[in-house]
Amino acid sequence: FHRQTLDWHGCRTGPNDEIGERLDAAGAQCAEVTVPLDYRRPRGRTISVAISRIRATGPAERRGVLLINPGGPGGSGLQQVLLSGLMPTVAARYDLIGMDPRFVGRSTPIHCRWTTDTPTRSAGPTRRTFDEGAALMKRLADGCVRGNRGLLPYATTRNTARDMDVVRAVLGEPRLSYLGYSYGTYLGAVYTQMFGGRAGRVVLDSAVGPDVYGPDLLSENGPAITAALRHWG
């Protein structure tokens, strides 16, 4: 996997692909990286991870590659290279790399058949609203399970970190620099835990506490959110 050759191509996939059109206009290239579905069985099934690249604008100052993750989890990262216009000094020294994490966007997908783009809901004030929310969560989970039982066990942060290290190797870089936002800070922390010797410069913006990541992620936000609501308006 580390020695594969990438087929770089334009990013636009069709006439209605606005993101691809913006990437092409910015001079980006796109490619697909082949990775194992299960890293414990590297000779088994493989999946693809979509990446984008805008080369450093100052080749004489180039320091390597900078992979950018927008968070989510589940946020598409391909368009993150478009941040080059907002950080010209960084864009001069690094090839900016966007990545759709496994099962997201243009990477090998998991289709959950959701009919909402706002799955995170309040429990509401009554038992009825709580039950409605719980029923919605069950429907959403069931939609992801159907047809995807063979993929879901491998939709993990540690596997995404492993994919990132394959991307680093395929790009021919001894180190991977990284910029992550929100959930991307947790992903970055996991990458440095697993591959610290291969991490370059790492920036974690709006850091998520690794000790609370999971179902209780937002539990500590309650007091701050309550105070903000009291002062709202």
Side-chain angles (χ1 to χ4, degrees), residues 145-157:
V145 169
R146 285 199 305 276
N148 297 310
R149 290 184 183 274
L151 299 178
L152 286 176
Y154 308 104
T156 68
T157 298

Side-chain angles (χ1 to χ4, degrees), residues 19 27 33 42 52 62 70 91 97 101 127 132 149 172 179 191 217 229:
I19 291 176
V33 180
S52 59
R62 186 180 180 278
I97 306 297
R127 180 68 196 202
E132 288 174 350
R149 290 184 183 274
L179 169 60
Y191 181 82
L217 175 61
L229 285 173

Side-chain angles (χ1 to χ4, degrees), residues 121-176:
R121 307 288 178 89
S122 167
T126 68
R127 180 68 196 202
R128 180 183 62 79
T129 58
F130 175 87
D131 290 341
E132 288 174 350
L136 172 64
M137 295 300 106
K138 184 178 186 307
R139 288 197 301 274
L140 295 177
D142 289 345
C144 284
V145 169
R146 285 199 305 276
N148 297 310
R149 290 184 183 274
L151 299 178
L152 286 176
Y154 308 104
T156 68
T157 298
R158 293 179 74 84
N159 278 337
T160 300
R162 293 181 178 105
D163 295 343
M164 288 166 51
D165 201 58
V166 172
V167 170
R168 173 203 60 78
V170 170
L171 294 175
E173 298 292 335
R175 295 183 182 275
L176 179 72

Side-chain angles (χ1 to χ4, degrees), residues 4-231:
Q4 65 187 284
T5 300
L6 296 183
D7 177 22
W8 292 102
H9 52 76
C11 298
R12 192 171 183 228
T13 59
N16 298 319
D17 182 7
E18 295 181 5
I19 291 176
E21 185 174 355
R22 291 174 60 202
L23 287 168
D24 286 347
Q29 299 170 295
C30 287
E32 291 72 42
V33 180
T34 300
V35 298
L37 173 66
D38 181 355
Y39 278 86
R40 296 170 299 179
R41 298 176 176 83
R43 296 183 185 274
R45 181 176 176 180
T46 61
I47 59 175
S48 68
V49 171
I51 64 172
S52 59
R53 176 180 68 182
I54 292 183
R55 290 187 179 274
T57 57
E61 303 176 277
R62 186 180 180 278
R63 292 181 175 177
V65 299
L66 175 70
L67 190 148
I68 309 173
N69 181 277
S76 169
L78 285 187
Q79 63 267 36
Q80 294 302 302
V81 297
L82 298 174
L83 293 173
S84 59
L86 301 178
M87 45 185 185
T89 302
V90 174
R93 297 181 179 181
Y94 292 91
D95 293 354
L96 300 186
I97 306 297
M99 183 179 94
D100 278 355
R102 54 172 52 205
F103 310 128
V104 171
R106 298 186 188 180
S107 297
T108 298
I110 283 178
H111 296 292
C112 290
R113 304 170 185 82
W114 286 7
T115 57
T116 176
D117 58 359
T118 56
T120 304
R121 307 288 178 89
S122 167
T126 68
R127 180 68 196 202
R128 180 183 62 79
T129 58
F130 175 87
D131 290 341
E132 288 174 350
L136 172 64
M137 295 300 106
K138 184 178 186 307
R139 288 197 301 274
L140 295 177
D142 289 345
C144 284
V145 169
R146 285 199 305 276
N148 297 310
R149 290 184 183 274
L151 299 178
L152 286 176
Y154 308 104
T156 68
T157 298
R158 293 179 74 84
N159 278 337
T160 300
R162 293 181 178 105
D163 295 343
M164 288 166 51
D165 201 58
V166 172
V167 170
R168 173 203 60 78
V170 170
L171 294 175
E173 298 292 335
R175 295 183 182 275
L176 179 72
S177 290
Y178 179 80
L179 169 60
Y181 302 93
S182 190
Y183 161 78
T185 66
Y186 179 70
L187 174 60
V190 171
Y191 181 82
T192 58
Q193 179 196 55
M194 297 176 67
F195 303 103
R198 302 171 194 167
R201 293 170 171 84
V202 175
V203 176
L204 306 179
D205 188 330
S206 307
V208 171
D211 293 337
V212 298
Y213 187 77
D216 294 330
L217 175 61
L218 301 179
S219 62
E220 296 182 350
N221 292 20
I225 293 173
T226 300
L229 285 173
R230 288 198 186 104
H231 291 89

